[in-house]
């Protein structure tokens, strides 16, 4: 046992050293930080994967963000996706395929293989991507959420796909600009995970049943939906985005006598144009009454939601019938754990505590079956036919759900205390 522990530690050290070299080599390849006037700009530059968020991008952000946030000459930050992807895209989510390969011991790294063989994934061990990715991503989300948005607001441009980790990059900022290309979702229950990157915090605080519905079904939302739900703050046609960027740069050129405050609010409002949209005709608006009827009680159990939907479907509700069909395809474990996470998240005092809870949840999923099966079915073999274990909701007991929130001891998520909390 002693020799195995020594070998395991050496493998961890080797992996950490290799990770450091890779980070230094790619720090500005997949993430391009730049500055124009007093505007700090992050450009996501991974178009081949729809700007999916990799660990080297997270580490680059974690390196640059504290420097920018302590720079008294910066007035705002801007987060955009680089043009040229296969379709318009902000960020399609985290690089969960790499996490899958790590957890399965298939990454080519001996440390991953050893950890998979000895069942060490899912305990928060440093040097394993199954822990490092979530830990460092959540630390980044916390840094973004606790930025001084009153004096250095973050603006994110949702021109295209915004899913998973891409939501964490942007939703915690003060402004989210959608376009006619916006496609927003939290689809994690379909891959055996849960809506993370702060989702347990903000989803639990959405009006009515919208948060529960978005979290459990992964429903794709368009521009009118995200405006209706308050997820986006502005709408700007994609043809005007270059002009908006130029105007934001000019707005941050405030001169030396600047007294503080939000210098981009007026500029964003001058470009905001909902004339081509009708929020009240959005999918969420049209189905709001039924969404609230089934999903509106944040303290209810998943079985209560399904009972409501069954009753509604029996009365002829097409919405309820379609929603039941969607939920039947999701991981039963993910559904129950996500619902419990939202309930607990609604009682937490701040985003930091929510992210700590989410880290515990993430590691429990790294020990389980469904995450690896979900990624296999969607991103590896692509047969779109996951075999969940357990495969029924009845088999997912309350004790099993509770285990996803167990404390990680010395491997708990550590966050830097924020001086000022931002509001969504």
């Amino acid at each position: 046992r002693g020799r195995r522990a020594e070998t395991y530690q050496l493998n961890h050290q080797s992996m950490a050293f290799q990770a450091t070299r890779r980070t230094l080599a790619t720090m500005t390849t997949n993430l391009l930080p730049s500055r124009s006037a007093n505007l700090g700009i992050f450009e996501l530059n991974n178009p081949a994967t729809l700007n999916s968020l990799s660990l080297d991008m997270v580490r680059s952000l974690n390196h640059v963000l504290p420097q920018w946030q302590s720079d008294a000459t910066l007035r705002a930050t801007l987060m955009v996706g680089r043009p040229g992807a296969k379709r318009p895209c902000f960020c399609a989510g985290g690089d969960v395929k790499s996490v899958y390969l790590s957890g399965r011991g298939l990454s080519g790294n001996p440390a991953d293989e050893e950890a998979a063989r000895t069942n060490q994934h899912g305990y928060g061990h440093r040097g394993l991507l199954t822990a490092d990715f979530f830990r460092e991503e959540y630390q980044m989300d916390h840094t973004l959420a606790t930025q001084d948005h009153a004096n250095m607001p973050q603006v994110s441009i949702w021109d295209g796909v915004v899913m998973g980790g891409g939501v964490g990059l942007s939703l915690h900022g003060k402004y989210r600009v959608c376009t006619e290309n916006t496609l927003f979702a939290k689809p994690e229950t379909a891959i055996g995970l849960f809506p993370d990157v702060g989702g347990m915090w903000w989803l639990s605080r959405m009006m009515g049943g919208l948060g529960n519905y978005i979290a459990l079904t992964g429903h794709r939302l368009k521009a009118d939906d995200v405006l209706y739900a308050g997820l986006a703050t502005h709408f700007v046609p994609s043809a005007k985005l270059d002009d908006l960027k130029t105007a934001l740069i000019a707005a941050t050129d405030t001169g030396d006598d600047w007294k503080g405050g939000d210098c981009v609010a007026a500029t964003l409002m001058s470009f905001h144009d909902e004339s081509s949209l009708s929020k009240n005709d959005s999918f969420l608006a049209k189905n709001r009454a039924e969404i609230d009827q089934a999903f509106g009680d944040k303290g209810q159990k998943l079985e209560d939601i399904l009972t409501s939907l069954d009753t509604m479907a029996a009365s002829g509700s097409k919405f309820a019938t379609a929603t039941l069909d969607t939920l039947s395809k999701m991981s039963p474990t993910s559904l129950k754990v996500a619902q419990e996470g939202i309930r607990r998240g609604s009682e937490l005092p701040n985003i930091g505590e929510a992210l700590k809870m989410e880290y515990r949840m993430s590691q429990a999923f790294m020990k389980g079956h469904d995450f690896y099966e979900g990624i296999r079915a969607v991103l590896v073999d692509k047969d779109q036919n996951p075999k969940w274990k357990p495969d029924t909701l009845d088999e997912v007991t309350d004790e099993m759900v509770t285990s996803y929130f167990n404390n990680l001891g010395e491997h708990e998520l550590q966050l830097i205390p924020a001086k000022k909390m931002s509001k969504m």
Side-chain angles (χ1 to χ4, degrees):
R1 179 181 298 178
R3 291 186 64 185
R4 176 179 292 180
E6 182 178 357
T7 300
Y8 188 66
Q9 181 64 31
L10 288 173
N11 283 337
H12 272 281
Q13 292 173 352
S14 173
M15 184 176 184
F17 175 72
Q18 293 176 30
T20 300
R21 291 186 63 185
R22 288 196 299 269
T23 298
L24 292 173
T26 62
M27 179 168 282
T28 58
T29 300
N30 293 330
L31 180 84
L32 305 176
S34 62
R35 176 171 178 157
S36 292
N38 296 318
L39 179 67
I41 303 171
F42 286 113
E43 187 173 46
L44 307 176
N45 181 40
N46 202 0
T49 61
L50 296 179
N51 292 327
S52 66
L53 188 65
S54 59
L55 183 58
D56 65 281
M57 295 166 74
V58 170
R59 287 176 170 169
S60 296
L61 277 157
N62 280 335
H63 176 74
V64 176
L65 271 171
Q67 299 177 46
W68 281 10
Q69 292 178 352
S70 62
D71 186 343
T73 66
L74 276 179
R75 304 290 183 256
T77 55
L78 176 65
M79 193 84 69
V80 297
R82 186 171 179 81
K86 290 177 285 187
R87 58 178 298 178
C89 188
F90 174 73
C91 176
D95 183 10
V96 287
K97 184 176 179 179
S98 292
V99 176
Y100 162 90
L101 293 173
S102 170
R104 280 289 181 252
L106 301 173
S107 66
N109 191 295
D112 287 339
E113 184 177 351
E114 174 70 7
R117 187 176 65 83
T118 57
N119 296 318
Q120 292 299 311
H121 288 288
Y123 295 92
H125 293 304
R126 291 183 179 274
L128 298 176
L129 193 61
T130 50
D132 290 349
F133 180 81
F134 294 103
R135 182 194 313 110
E136 297 179 39
E137 182 184 27
Y138 296 174
Q139 289 170 336
M140 174 198 69
D141 292 328
H142 186 256
T143 301
L144 289 166
T146 55
Q147 183 167 307
D148 181 9
H149 291 287
N151 295 295
M152 188 189 293
Q154 176 184 323
V155 180
S156 298
I157 307 297
W158 285 352
D159 187 33
V161 178
V162 188
M163 295 185 183
V167 176
L169 278 174
S170 51
L171 196 74
H172 301 302
K174 188 173 184 178
Y175 300 119
R176 287 86 59 189
V177 179
C178 65
T179 75
E180 72 277 9
N181 298 318
T182 298
L183 185 64
F184 178 105
K186 291 293 290 172
E188 287 88 349
T189 58
I191 59 168
L193 197 58
F194 70 101
D196 63 341
V197 294
M200 300 296 94
W201 170 258
W202 60 265
L203 285 163
S204 66
R205 285 160 175 78
M206 292 185 71
M207 53 187 177
L210 294 180
N212 278 343
Y213 176 75
I214 292 168
L216 299 177
T217 67
H219 188 82
R220 271 59 170 167
L221 306 177
K222 298 180 180 180
D224 53 0
D225 291 306
V226 293
L227 284 167
Y228 172 81
L231 298 171
T233 58
H234 300 80
F235 178 86
V236 177
S238 59
K240 294 185 178 181
L241 290 179
D242 286 342
D243 292 339
L244 173 61
K245 181 178 178 181
T246 299
L248 289 172
I249 293 170
T252 63
D253 191 8
T254 56
D256 296 334
D257 59 347
W258 185 65
K259 303 300 182 182
D262 186 335
C263 65
V264 299
T267 298
L268 287 166
M269 281 306 301
S270 71
F271 278 82
H272 179 54
D273 180 10
E274 293 185 31
S275 61
S276 62
L277 300 173
S278 175
K279 292 186 291 186
N280 291 330
D281 289 331
S282 67
F283 174 87
L284 292 181
K286 289 179 178 179
N287 293 284
R288 176 66 186 279
E290 292 186 291
I291 290 173
D292 287 354
Q293 182 179 343
F295 295 88
D297 182 356
K298 294 180 174 61
Q300 67 186 335
K301 291 183 175 294
L302 186 67
E303 290 83 355
D304 299 325
I305 293 175
L306 296 178
T307 298
S308 295
L309 289 170
D310 282 333
T311 300
M312 294 159 60
S315 299
S317 169
K318 293 181 179 180
F319 166 82
T321 300
T323 302
L324 285 167
D325 180 63
T326 296
L327 293 174
S328 71
K329 300 173 183 176
M330 305 304 183
S331 157
T333 300
S334 291
L335 289 174
K336 281 200 169 183
V337 172
Q339 177 68 8
E340 176 63 11
I342 290 174
R343 187 193 67 77
R344 295 188 183 210
S346 68
E347 301 173 351
L348 294 175
N350 56 57
I351 180 66
E353 292 303 313
L355 288 167
K356 290 178 183 179
M357 180 185 73
E358 288 185 8
Y359 187 60
R360 299 173 196 131
M361 296 166 70
S362 77
Q363 292 309 284
F365 276 101
M366 294 304 100
K367 287 187 286 188
H369 166 273
D370 279 8
F371 169 75
Y372 300 102
E373 174 62 9
I375 297 303
R376 179 207 65 76
V378 176
L379 297 177
V380 180
D381 296 337
K382 301 181 181 180
D383 56 27
Q384 310 301 320
N385 187 29
K387 305 297 183 183
W388 307 121
K389 292 182 182 179
D391 63 355
T392 67
L393 289 167
D394 289 340
E395 294 176 275
V396 184
T397 66
D398 290 345
E399 291 75 19
M400 292 169 63
V401 172
T402 299
S403 72
Y404 279 73
F405 300 87
N406 287 344
N407 192 285
L408 292 169
E410 63 179 322
H411 299 298
E412 282 280 284
L413 178 66
Q414 301 298 315
L415 300 171
I416 299 174
K419 295 180 181 179
K420 188 172 185 179
M421 296 299 296
S422 65
K423 296 180 180 179
M424 190 182 104

